[in-house]
Amino acid sequence: MAKHKACQELSDYPREVTLSTLRLRVLPPTVLCDTSLESLNLDRNKLKRIPGISQLCNLKKLILSKNDIADFPEEIQSLVHLEKLDLNQNQIRVIPEGIFSCLLKLKHLRLNNNRLSDLPKDLATCQGSLQYLNLSNNLFQDIPQAVLKLASLQDFYIQNNMLHQLPVGLFTGRPLKMFKANGNPLREPPGEVCAGGIRQILSYFSQLQTCQAQEDRRVKTMFLGASLAGKSTICKSLQQRRAVPLSKEERTVGIEISEFRIQDFTFLFWDFAGQLEYYMTHHVFITPQALVILVINFQQYQLNDKVFKELVGFWINNLFMRIPNSVVLPVGTHIDCCDEGEVEAKKQDVMNRIQAMLEERRTSLIHFINNLEDSEESEIYVDQWNRLKETESCTLTILDLISVNCTDYQDIKKLEAAILGHVRNEEIFPNVIRMLPPVYKEVEAAIVDIVQSEGTAEHGMMDLNLLLSELAQRENLTSLGRELLQDVLRYLHHIGLIIWYEEVKQMESIVFLRPAFLITMFKLLVRYHLVQQLESISVDTLVGEHATIRDQSNWVWTFKSKAMLCQQAMRALVKHQLPLEGLEDVFEEMMGRKSQKGKLFSLLEHFEICLESKDVSEVWGGDHAEDLHLRAYFSPEVPESFFQRLMVKACSFYSTHWVAKMMCLLVCSGKPLLIKENNQKGYSYIELRCRKPAERIEFRITWDLVMAIVSIIRKLSDEWPGLHICLKTPCRTAVCPAEFVWPDLDGKSTVTKEDIKTCGTCSHQFRTELLLPKVLSDVEAPPAQPAAHYYVTSYGTTTFGPSNVHVSRQNILDE
């Protein structure tokens, strides 16, 4: 596919020159002499200026991405045949007038990752030609007026700027097909509406044509912290406006949701259980643009590294990886069990250690950046460098710690006042106010009425068509149509008031009007002390599932040794914990039967929390010194649940697979690949191993399998913006500690074309394909093969074929 694309580009631009990653500081004179040139690629160099570029009067494509350009090159105005111009990832602040009025054939313009806050008016002269425009990661506070005149624009990207409002004119009068604006503090339309796509944005503006938008002041507030820190006590005390003491037995299991109002702000409280077992599902619900209240039990807190990491550092680290620009309010509890001096000492210690932790993180990033810059081949690590620089600019906002006695309502009121003060600060929460059409609030109020009515089942599950029918019976919603209802539901789902998984085929017709019920179902299977729950299943429940006490013992052993549960065990476990009175039909629908997968499992699989697995004890047979072997190193560490999600995603692509506690074995076209996790402090990595091919021509197939998993790892890592990943291959000399660092992967070409790699530590030489993916030379090319079948996904392109491994001995050992 890469070759096909390259050929396609060559056919579009017969005269093409590529001078990428050569550290060029000036344009080679020989290039400037070739006036017939149509395509010039100069990305990933050190260019600050491009004098003489005007000589290339026939140029149609010019790539200047990832250079050091600060002043827009005015000579570009002479390139009157230019169709594609990429100037992304430079340092451009201003584009002068008079450039674009000369580029009347320009179709594609990429200006993302610069320092732009406006565009020249003459960009509008490209209105008949410009189809693609990328302005992401700049400093725009408004959509430039020139953009509104681009009548042919089809793809427009403006993520991560400082927009508060989008003009309705942007979405009318042009064939816009792709629009992305996430990462902006949008109020009108709110970011949650924009996430629904262009159709929902148009529906939003359509609703405002006949009525005025209403202000909505709503803040998602996530309570995080270790078990028994006091999260639930604070939630309930704030909600009930009095000190509400809770016993140990009343602590949160999974996640609990409640709503609370302080003056003109509504707070959606998400109380997350503190046990590590629940963190596996937390990633589904931890979202940006929320206030994070990190609750710390000062009675348990001690002035040492170990306790800090358990009660504070773990949460700060995971927040930094998951939502690195979040706002965190630390709250110290149980101060009634400490003297005044002790409280102050612990408060100061927590804040100092958090700052030291963030500073250490910043220092580590600078260290990684400097290592790449100092490398002799730094140009091949530009993508890694850029990602690190973006991460460096992300900063957790840590508010001043507040210490409270949860049994003293005066302290609860002090916390309430502090929370209100912070959310009113637009510098901290720039998008806390949203502008909504009245119908959004009317549908929400009607849904609340339905939830509270006696006729609504406790689980709150409702068919989408039935919900529409009930809503349309209300006087103010008689004209409510299905599409508009879906738009509103999409918004309510994004802010967490209801749950509607339209992207999951098995769930698209069901709306969860009570999100807590679905979370309850989640926590029945992914929970603290699950082994004890399995052991306590009653005999009557076992009999009802046609199981025996012997089966129960086997379930416990299989879960403890392999982290696996069969469907029969899952059904019995849910029956044991969930009161089923009036829920029999729901139980069958959610849990499924022997021949049918239940909706709950489909959801857990969708969120990469669990997967359908084949239990085999011995397959891999141990590591061999000859294996193809690489490691994906994580800094600061492999995030909680990352490896499990990787296994689920990888196994969803490959039908032949086996899993154990900390490893996974895949087989594709007869090639086995082992994935293992190591998560020690300062040494966190995921390891990939494949058997060395018997024939040299088989290396391409083997490396394709490895690269497919690498692609999944990289795609998943995008969900943790504060995470850095570096790929390395250990030296094949047994006693040598050296590793070969992989260059950037651009998705279009293989890693290297070198035939031989030399270790800088032991000086041994190796064929490159033993260490890195490599293109075979013409003499090494394999004989003609039937056309490969590809399955294209958002995680990359993976070759699929029949798996024909003969398993005579099966061995997967837990590590």
Side-chain angles (χ1 to χ4, degrees):
M1 291 183 68
K3 287 183 178 179
H4 172 76
K5 188 169 184 178
C7 293
Q8 182 64 43
E9 290 183 354
L10 285 172
S11 66
D12 292 341
Y13 304 102
R15 296 289 298 152
E16 180 172 16
V17 170
T18 298
L19 299 173
S20 299
T21 64
L22 297 177
R23 293 190 175 187
L24 297 177
R25 296 182 183 274
V26 294
L27 292 178
T30 54
V31 173
L32 296 175
C33 293
D34 187 0
T35 58
S36 65
L37 201 62
E38 294 185 358
S39 175
L40 178 58
N41 188 342
L42 294 164
D43 78 322
R44 308 187 194 200
N45 282 293
K46 299 289 183 181
L47 297 169
K48 293 184 178 180
R49 290 174 293 279
I50 50 172
I53 196 71
S54 59
Q55 298 176 41
L56 304 180
C57 54
N58 289 304
L59 209 59
K60 296 181 179 179
K61 174 182 175 182
L62 177 59
I63 309 297
L64 290 164
S65 307
K66 304 172 186 175
N67 278 279
D68 296 328
I69 298 172
D71 297 320
F72 193 93
E74 294 194 35
E75 281 193 57
I76 287 178
Q77 67 183 336
S78 301
L79 307 178
V80 296
H81 296 291
L82 205 62
E83 297 176 357
K84 179 174 182 178
L85 175 61
D86 284 3
L87 273 159
N88 51 297
Q89 288 169 274
N90 283 281
Q91 303 296 322
I92 301 170
R93 295 180 179 275
V94 177
I95 301 177
E97 294 282 349
I99 304 291
F100 294 111
S101 58
C102 302
L103 307 180
L104 300 181
K105 297 181 180 180
L106 191 64
K107 298 178 181 178
H108 179 112
L109 178 59
R110 196 186 295 267
L111 295 169
N112 50 293
N113 296 83
N114 280 287
R115 298 288 182 269
L116 295 166
S117 58
D118 202 359
L119 293 178
K121 296 177 182 178
D122 70 327
L123 178 65
T125 59
C126 300
Q127 59 181 312
S129 60
L130 196 63
Q131 300 172 5
Y132 176 99
L133 178 60
N134 193 330
L135 302 177
S136 299
N137 295 289
N138 278 286
L139 303 173
F140 291 99
Q141 297 185 20
D142 300 290
I143 300 292
Q145 286 298 310
V147 173
L148 300 180
K149 298 179 181 180
L150 298 175
S152 300
L153 195 62
Q154 297 181 18
D155 301 302
F156 183 37
Y157 300 85
I158 194 160
Q159 305 102 299
N160 301 314
N161 280 275
M162 297 185 291
L163 304 176
H164 283 84
Q165 186 176 17
L166 299 176
V168 63
L170 178 64
F171 303 95
T172 57
R174 59 179 49 77
L176 199 62
K177 298 176 182 177
M178 177 60 71
F179 172 74
K180 290 189 177 181
N182 51 292
N184 285 283
L186 286 167
R187 296 183 178 182
E188 190 174 351
E192 294 87 355
V193 170
C194 294
I198 294 174
R199 286 184 63 180
Q200 187 169 355
I201 295 172
L202 287 170
S203 173
Y204 172 91
F205 283 119
S206 175
Q207 295 302 313
L208 292 183
Q209 288 180 353
T210 57
C211 54
Q212 188 174 0
Q214 300 174 347
E215 279 192 356
D216 179 61
R217 299 168 180 260
R218 195 158 10 199
V219 185
K220 184 175 181 179
T221 308
M222 300 186 293
F223 287 81
L224 300 177
S227 179
L228 300 177
K231 303 182 293 296
S232 301
T233 301
I234 292 175
C235 283
K236 295 191 184 312
S237 297
L238 285 169
Q239 191 175 23
Q240 298 183 26
R241 299 189 178 279
R242 63 182 180 87
V244 182
L246 297 178
S247 65
K248 182 177 179 179
E249 290 70 27
E250 294 177 281
R251 63 182 176 178
T252 301
V253 177
I255 304 169
E256 292 184 1
I257 306 171
S258 58
E259 189 173 302
F260 171 62
R261 190 167 182 84
I262 307 178
Q263 296 183 19
D264 53 341
F265 283 89
T266 299
F267 292 82
L268 299 174
F269 285 173
W270 288 66
D271 180 10
F272 290 78
Q275 295 89 349
L276 187 60
E277 288 83 349
Y278 294 119
Y279 200 84
M280 184 68 189
T281 57
H282 285 2
H283 75 268
V284 177
F285 306 102
I286 291 178
T287 56
Q289 301 176 4
L291 170 63
V292 178
I293 297 181
L294 178 58
V295 184
I296 308 157
N297 186 334
F298 268 21
Q299 183 182 13
Q300 296 178 352
Y301 188 81
Q302 301 296 321
L303 308 183
N304 61 62
D305 288 338
K306 181 177 182 295
V307 176
F308 171 80
K309 182 175 181 180
E310 290 176 357
L311 301 186
V312 184
F314 168 83
W315 302 98
I316 293 291
N317 202 32
N318 279 283
L319 283 170
F320 192 98
M321 290 188 288
R322 188 72 179 179
I323 41 175
N325 280 326
S326 54
V327 179
V328 182
L329 174 62
V331 176
T333 59
H334 296 78
I335 63 172
D336 51 313
C337 302
C338 312
D339 59 49
E340 188 174 340
E342 184 182 356
V343 170
E344 285 304 311
K346 290 181 176 181
K347 178 178 178 179
Q348 195 65 41
D349 187 73
V350 167
M351 294 302 293
N352 288 344
R353 287 181 187 272
I354 290 177
Q355 294 303 328
M357 183 178 180
L358 296 180
E359 180 62 26
E360 180 183 356
R361 176 73 171 131
R362 192 184 71 84
T363 302
S364 295
L365 284 172
I366 293 173
H367 172 72
F368 285 129
I369 291 169
N370 290 340
N371 279 352
L372 294 181
E373 290 176 344
D374 295 340
S375 168
E376 293 183 0
E377 297 181 304
S378 61
E379 66 277 358
I380 67 176
Y381 305 117
V382 172
D383 284 344
Q384 296 180 46
W385 183 88
N386 280 317
R387 172 145 186 170
L388 286 170
K389 290 296 286 185
E390 287 183 16
T391 304
E392 187 184 24
S393 66
C394 296
T395 306
L396 281 179
T397 300
I398 307 295
L399 305 173
D400 289 337
L401 187 148
I402 298 176
S403 52
V404 299
N405 173 4
C406 295
T407 63
D408 184 345
Y409 184 56
Q410 293 305 313
D411 277 10
I412 297 296
K413 289 179 67 176
K414 179 180 70 172
L415 175 60
E416 177 185 304
I419 291 173
L420 186 60
H422 290 312
V423 299
R424 286 193 186 282
N425 187 338
E426 289 195 13
E427 291 185 4
I428 300 176
F429 289 97
N431 59 343
V432 72
I433 300 174
R434 304 172 181 87
M435 304 303 293
L436 293 175
V439 69
Y440 279 62
K441 302 296 291 182
E442 291 166 358
V443 170
E444 179 185 335
I447 287 176
V448 171
D449 285 344
I450 291 173
V451 170
Q452 294 175 349
S453 67
E454 294 183 1
T456 302
E458 188 174 341
H459 51 75
M461 292 170 56
M462 185 172 286
D463 180 81
L464 179 61
N465 291 326
L466 177 59
L467 177 61
L468 174 60
S469 175
E470 289 208 17
L471 291 173
Q473 293 177 21
R474 297 176 180 255
E475 185 176 350
N476 57 338
L477 295 174
T478 53
S479 61
L480 182 67
R482 184 184 177 91
E483 285 195 7
L484 178 55
L485 173 60
Q486 289 175 326
D487 291 341
V488 179
L489 291 179
R490 228 172 266 124
Y491 170 77
L492 297 178
H493 171 84
H494 275 289
I495 66 173
L497 278 179
I498 59 103
I499 290 179
W500 178 45
Y501 294 119
E502 60 175 325
E503 70 277 15
V504 184
K505 185 176 181 181
Q506 297 89 335
M507 307 296 295
E508 61 185 351
S509 63
I510 295 177
V511 182
F512 291 88
L513 303 182
R514 290 193 175 113
F517 173 77
L518 184 58
I519 294 169
T520 298
M521 297 295 290
F522 270 45
K523 69 191 180 188
L524 296 180
L525 297 176
V526 185
R527 62 165 297 138
Y528 184 59
H529 287 163
L530 187 58
V531 170
Q532 288 88 328
Q533 291 293 328
L534 283 168
E535 291 174 336
S536 61
I537 295 174
S538 68
V539 174
D540 289 342
T541 301
L542 292 174
V543 171
E545 285 301 313
H546 307 289
T548 66
I549 294 176
R550 180 90 173 173
D551 291 326
Q552 183 182 26
S553 300
N554 185 45
W555 299 341
V556 171
W557 181 87
T558 304
F559 181 76
K560 289 169 70 174
S561 61
K562 302 175 182 178
M564 298 173 68
L565 285 175
C566 65
Q567 187 176 26
Q568 188 182 31
M570 293 168 64
R571 284 175 56 93
L573 190 60
V574 171
K575 269 190 178 180
H576 167 66
Q577 299 174 92
L578 184 69
L580 286 178
E581 186 176 349
L583 296 177
E584 290 80 2
D585 292 342
V586 173
F587 174 82
E588 295 297 334
E589 186 176 3
M590 296 298 289
M591 297 308 302
R593 301 173 181 84
K594 277 188 177 182
S595 59
Q596 180 186 11
K597 189 183 343 183
K599 287 182 167 56
L600 178 62
F601 185 84
S602 297
L603 271 180
L604 292 172
E605 197 172 32
H606 172 75
F607 287 117
E608 297 139 3
I609 294 172
C610 69
L611 74 153
E612 190 172 356
S613 175
K614 302 167 186 175
D615 178 15
V616 179
S617 57
E618 297 180 357
V619 178
W620 177 244
D623 298 340
H624 297 170
E626 297 82 12
D627 293 341
L628 300 187
H629 177 200
L630 73 96
R631 291 171 178 168
Y633 285 93
F634 289 68
S635 177
E637 62 190 37
V638 181
E640 287 294 332
S641 82
F642 187 98
F643 183 71
Q644 288 80 6
R645 294 186 63 191
L646 169 62
M647 286 198 297
V648 173
K649 183 60 68 176
C651 291
S652 70
F653 286 169
Y654 300 95
S655 58
T656 305
H657 60 258
W658 296 264
V659 294
K661 222 169 189 179
M662 301 302 292
M663 67 170 62
C664 174
L665 180 65
L666 309 172
V667 177
C668 178
S669 297
K671 306 293 181 184
L673 182 147
L674 187 72
I675 311 173
K676 294 194 293 187
E677 179 190 28
N678 183 80
N679 203 359
Q680 303 175 36
K681 184 177 182 181
Y683 199 47
S684 295
Y685 62 85
I686 288 176
E687 182 176 18
L688 306 183
R689 280 182 175 270
C690 271
R691 299 303 190 203
K692 176 186 173 183
E695 301 291 337
R696 196 171 184 186
I697 60 174
E698 295 178 355
F699 274 91
R700 164 58 70 86
I701 299 173
T702 303
W703 277 116
D704 280 350
L705 175 57
V706 172
M707 291 300 292
I709 303 305
V710 168
S711 177
I712 296 174
I713 291 173
R714 294 175 67 214
K715 185 69 176 180
L716 283 176
S717 71
D718 290 342
E719 299 179 24
W720 281 267
L723 185 66
H724 173 55
I725 297 180
C726 182
L727 298 172
K728 299 181 182 181
T729 298
C731 177
R732 295 181 72 84
T733 303
V735 296
C736 181
E739 295 178 309
F740 295 84
V741 182
W742 285 39
D744 293 339
L745 305 172
D746 60 10
K748 299 178 183 177
S749 60
T750 49
V751 175
T752 181
K753 295 184 180 180
E754 293 181 84
D755 290 325
I756 299 294
K757 282 284 186 181
T758 303
C759 177
T761 301
C762 68
S763 300
H764 287 183
Q765 293 185 333
F766 308 95
R767 295 207 318 265
T768 300
E769 63 266 26
L770 294 171
L771 304 168
L772 301 168
K774 176 185 174 294
V775 175
L776 295 175
S777 64
D778 291 339
V779 296
E780 299 168 328
Q785 298 288 335
H789 295 283
Y790 290 96
Y791 175 63
V792 182
T793 74
S794 60
Y795 288 84
T797 304
T798 304
T799 309
F800 282 79
S803 298
N804 51 14
V805 170
H806 174 66
V807 180
S808 57
R809 231 180 137 205
Q810 303 170 340
N811 178 27
I812 291 184
L813 300 177
D814 294 347
E815 290 192 357

